[in-house]
Amino acid sequence: LLQGIGPVGVVPSACPKTFAPKSFAPTYDPKKNEEDGSEAVLETGRDLYKPGQLPWHVFRSGVLTLVCLWLLGCLWSFAQLYEVPDLPDKVLPEQVAESGQAAQGAEQQRDAPTVPMLHGGRRINVGWPNEHFQPTGLACDVAGKHFALSDAFQLYFATLDDATGSAPSISSLDDSLRCSSLDGHALEDIAVLCPLSESCKVLVMHDGGERLVECNVVRPRRKLQNASATDTDSSSDEVSVWSIANKWLHGSAESERMTGLAIDGTQINQFRDLMDVRKSNIVVGTSQGRVVKLRRHLKEDHKLVPAAVIWNNHRLRNIKAMPRSSPLGIIPGSYLLMLHDVGGKVQAIDMKTASIIGEWQLPQTPGRMWSGLAGGGGFVYVASVGQSGMASEIWQFPLPHFDKRN
């Protein structure tokens, strides 16, 4: 028998290195390999663990790595839920960060295409209810003759007087419209619809964009000397109240909410055409810059649901694409006018192709900002609010030419 080979009873004293892992493969000797010209043998490292333990260690390391990744994912989800930024706002010293931002802004301005100015504007003479009135809602019909204005709690309806040779004026804002369903609610935005065969109606969005109320245009009668209480109190009979689905909004109600309203009245001959389930003539804008078409629910007649997305830039964080007041208007041809909060820029969007077909810059005035927009009769109407002590204004601009073929 050979030494170290055979049963234990035959070879009672085997060498301690007999069953070492290295004994099953030749070892690497640099001097010997250089002399005989043989190639180096790589160390496998299998001698670090006992036979059968290496798979267990590999599996254990993989499981621990997976557990750590799941924990990091949970922490990141909670951070997003509580709106914690992924990176700190200031990763550089303040002076360095500001200089870098200024340089980046200047470079973007050089590279950005020049936006033409919106010229030919003239101020409309408006008889405001009081000198401190600031409109949060501005709307007009397709013809640009009938206007609705609102603040947080009052709703007004008036006709534009655009006589030849004189400046346009709106002078009948002494009495507000009354809708009983709006009592105690803050108004978000408004829209005007004047079908060809019916009287005008004002649609009001309130309750953070979750309700839409239809108000008939009925002005309260002025109080006469010997009139009774029933003769002097006239309210607008609202025909319908709709709820607007909000599960499609991103995050909580504070993260994204509906703030803008517009009606495509070019194809509406009767008011019932507005709520045709096959059409989507109601457009809303959100606080994150999304613009969505709404239609009537298939089974619930008094509920509105999303039908299509016209514009979507909600992923641009810390950028307010639209102001809180009326940012939307629709002109004949189903073209959407959108007022941007930054820089007072107006864009025309083809709602069929969701493409920008026109872009203009509004004039800037120190101490004032553009807050609302409406379109009709070949004009763009924009509301301007100022600082404390400055009266609000409404300007009329001719609608510029834009390429409708894009």
Side-chain angles (χ1 to χ4, degrees), residues 334-392:
S334 298
Y335 298 110
L336 176 70
L337 298 178
M338 184 166 62
L339 174 64
H340 286 255
D341 190 29
V342 180
K345 184 171 61 175
V346 177
Q347 286 183 333
I349 299 174
D350 188 346
M351 293 195 295
K352 298 178 182 178
T353 61
S355 59
I356 299 176
I357 56 178
E359 192 172 23
W360 309 276
Q361 178 68 48
L362 291 169
Q364 299 297 313
T365 303
R368 307 192 67 89
M369 64 173 293
W370 302 104
S371 62
L373 176 143
F379 292 95
V380 179
Y381 299 91
V382 192
S384 172
V385 296
Q387 299 175 352
S388 177
M390 301 177 66
S392 301

Side-chain angles (χ1 to χ4, degrees), residues 118 122-124 126 128 133-139 147-150 170 189-190 323 325-328 339-341 344 346 362-365 368-375 380-386 391-397:
L118 200 58
R122 55 179 180 171
R123 186 168 61 88
I124 298 177
V126 182
W128 300 110
F133 182 85
Q134 288 192 339
T136 58
L138 172 65
F147 282 76
L149 297 98
S150 68
I170 298 176
D189 199 7
I190 55 178
S325 56
S326 300
L328 304 176
L339 174 64
H340 286 255
D341 190 29
V346 177
L362 291 169
Q364 299 297 313
T365 303
R368 307 192 67 89
M369 64 173 293
W370 302 104
S371 62
L373 176 143
V380 179
Y381 299 91
V382 192
S384 172
V385 296
S392 301
E393 297 176 350
I394 295 180
W395 285 76
Q396 180 191 67
F397 293 90

